[in-house]
Amino acid sequence: MFRLFTLGGLAILLAACATATPYGPATSSGGYGFSDQRIENNRYRITFRGNSLTSRETVENSLLYRAAELTVELGYDYFIAVENDTEARTSYSSSAPPAFYGRYGYGHPFHRPHYGFPYYAYGFGWGDPYYDNYTREITRYSAVAFIAMYKGGKPADNPMAFDAREVMANLGPVVLGADRNNPGY
């Protein structure tokens, strides 16, 4: 019973501390957040990586917002998404303890004789059947786009062209939150 309360308390503590990746620059190469790299004068590669609590939609909105933000920062009016892609990276984590000689070691008074040999096994599904095993799926999304930035009016016939200021106005409250998008913040 103590074990159950301890694990429950630990889960609540971790849930309270864990948050989705906030909008901001990545602090290291391959870190969470956005990064951009200049390819030519008006062309950039932009990446946004989210942690396991960041949805695909949030990652893609943040990438699009960063493309618009960079476009305005550099003095351009609109951008064209030349190429873009979102990748999901999935891994698995298990809480199963490593098993050896069953639950009790060889020679222990409670040793179960049905284990006819000393075995060592690690991984999913291995171990003592009397311990709970829990495996969870962890998915992290990262999105990348190559954009070309231009001055003037956005071409109406190109569905991959985005007015940078309009994108910022529409996605700002979603990406930054209502308070951060206000000028008085």
Side-chain angles (χ1 to χ4, degrees), residues 36-100:
D36 35 69
Q37 181 179 17
R38 183 177 173 184
I39 306 298
E40 292 179 344
N41 283 338
N42 68 330
R43 293 180 184 264
Y44 277 77
R45 177 179 56 217
I46 302 171
T47 304
F48 192 92
R49 289 183 177 85
N51 64 17
S52 62
L53 298 173
T54 310
S55 71
R56 179 184 181 127
E57 181 180 10
T58 300
V59 167
E60 290 174 344
N61 282 341
S62 298
L63 176 79
L64 194 55
Y65 185 84
R66 178 59 186 157
E69 185 179 59
L70 185 63
T71 300
V72 171
E73 283 176 10
L74 296 175
Y76 295 98
D77 300 311
Y78 72 95
F79 65 94
I80 296 176
V82 179
E83 183 181 338
N84 62 328
D85 187 31
T86 302
E87 176 184 290
R89 181 166 290 161
T90 302
S91 61
Y92 299 90
S93 175
S94 179
S95 66
F100 55 94

Side-chain angles (χ1 to χ4, degrees), residues 154-176:
K154 172 186 91 163
D157 62 338
N158 188 344
M160 298 306 289
F162 296 89
D163 181 295
R165 286 171 185 77
E166 191 173 334
V167 169
M168 289 178 69
N170 291 329
L171 290 182
V174 175
V175 173
L176 302 176

Side-chain angles (χ1 to χ4, degrees), residues 86-169:
T86 302
E87 176 184 290
R89 181 166 290 161
T90 302
S91 61
Y92 299 90
S93 175
S94 179
S95 66
F100 55 94
Y101 293 115
R103 186 180 217 172
Y104 304 103
Y106 184 76
H108 190 279
F110 298 125
H111 173 70
R112 289 186 217 101
H114 63 273
Y115 292 116
F117 60 93
Y119 72 93
Y120 294 86
Y122 298 91
F124 305 114
W126 287 88
D128 193 319
Y130 300 104
Y131 279 108
D132 291 335
N133 292 329
Y134 175 73
T135 301
R136 74 179 182 117
E137 184 178 292
I138 302 167
T139 303
R140 292 179 177 90
Y141 294 99
S142 61
V144 63
F146 291 88
I147 65 165
M149 299 173 282
Y150 301 97
K151 293 183 179 186
K154 172 186 91 163
D157 62 338
N158 188 344
M160 298 306 289
F162 296 89
D163 181 295
R165 286 171 185 77
E166 191 173 334
V167 169
M168 289 178 69

